[in-house]
Amino acid sequence: MKLTLQRVPLGVLTALTMAVLLVVSVILVFLGVVALESTLERRTLDRLPSDASAAYLDFNAGRMPTQDGVRALLNSLPTVERQSETEGQLTILALAMIVALVGSLFGYWLARKISRPLEVLAAATENLRAGDFSVRVGPVGNAAKEVALLVRRFDALASELESMESRLRFNTMAVAHELRTPLTVLRGNLQGMADGVFPIDRTRIVQLLLQVEGLSALVEDLRTLSLAAGQKLVTQRLPLDLSVEVGQVLEASGHLLEKAGMTVETALQPVRIVGDAPRLRQAVLALVENATRYAAAGGVLRCEVGLQGGQEACIRLLDRGPGLPEDVSSESVDLFWRADTSRSRATGGSGLGLSVVKAIAAAHDGRLEFAKRPGGGAIVSIILPVEAGP
């Protein structure tokens, strides 16, 4: 019964319950009337005069009653019939009330079995509203299909909210950590200049501007992720050729790659999709900058654009750097994520780059993928549907 209820929709279960209760009620009333029939007949005979009762029994037995008995039966029958009819109606009414009471008790029991998970769910919802994201309803056992589905989805929602709260706490601390260093440098230098301890020269001003630029980049990345969370990161999609957009990014990044001592190999095949060109260029630039910071020792960066599986467009960057940890995946990329925990702001990155790339890919109904490159190094890919668009 437990497994059956979990597969039955609530509407069907309600209809079946009503039908079963109705059939059971009719059967119980019928059986009650049959059981009381002999009792009612005996009471009817007790009300008749003796000769009329004898005539009635003779009729039922197929015998010819006496003339006096027939006359007495005819005279007494109307009064006795009215009394017997009233008694029969009262008996049937009492029996129907008993059956209705039994049916109501059974219906109440069954309704409680169905509604009990909803009561537990309501209590869990109240705890969730109060801020307890660890609350779970768990297995509901004997519940209708829709109720069991609702409970499972509630538990999934509570789990996601708990995970979001944990990430929010971590991200808040991470933002504070990322802002603390440049703000401390700025405040210390400006205070030193104000007190006359540090000279106000061009070199020191340039250093402070670099700190300001880092803060501006951090704030812009946070804004990008905020837009992504609000489904506002990509607002305008137009037909474009991925090879052209990626080629423009590589050309604009020539000085950055040259400074890092990296050469570029390309294999850019024309692939047309519908997307936000500036955002896609931003994602590719973030991957290029990431490679110049962490894979410059490999000396070569290969960039490929093409089709994957016939239905997906792929932007792939391959380097000869130290590679990625064994447990890295796109799901592990979060705010201020770095593949190597030893990396810090000293390498030049805030840790938001890959989070931004992942957000841009997701906004195009795509995804970010990582893989090891044969022979050493890493492969970072942006996979986009060819038919991406509104």
Side-chain angles (χ1 to χ4, degrees), residues 257-265 291-292 294-302 318-322 373 376-377:
L257 292 164
E258 182 181 352
K259 184 178 178 180
M262 302 185 75
T263 58
V264 180
E265 297 177 355
T292 59
Y294 306 127
V300 178
L301 178 66
R302 180 176 177 81
L318 306 89
D319 62 55
R320 288 298 182 185
R373 186 179 184 184

Side-chain angles (χ1 to χ4, degrees), residues 278-301:
R279 289 299 185 189
L280 291 173
R281 289 196 297 268
Q282 179 185 0
V284 176
L285 179 59
L287 294 183
V288 171
E289 291 177 342
N290 197 67
T292 59
R293 292 192 186 102
Y294 306 127
V300 178
L301 178 66

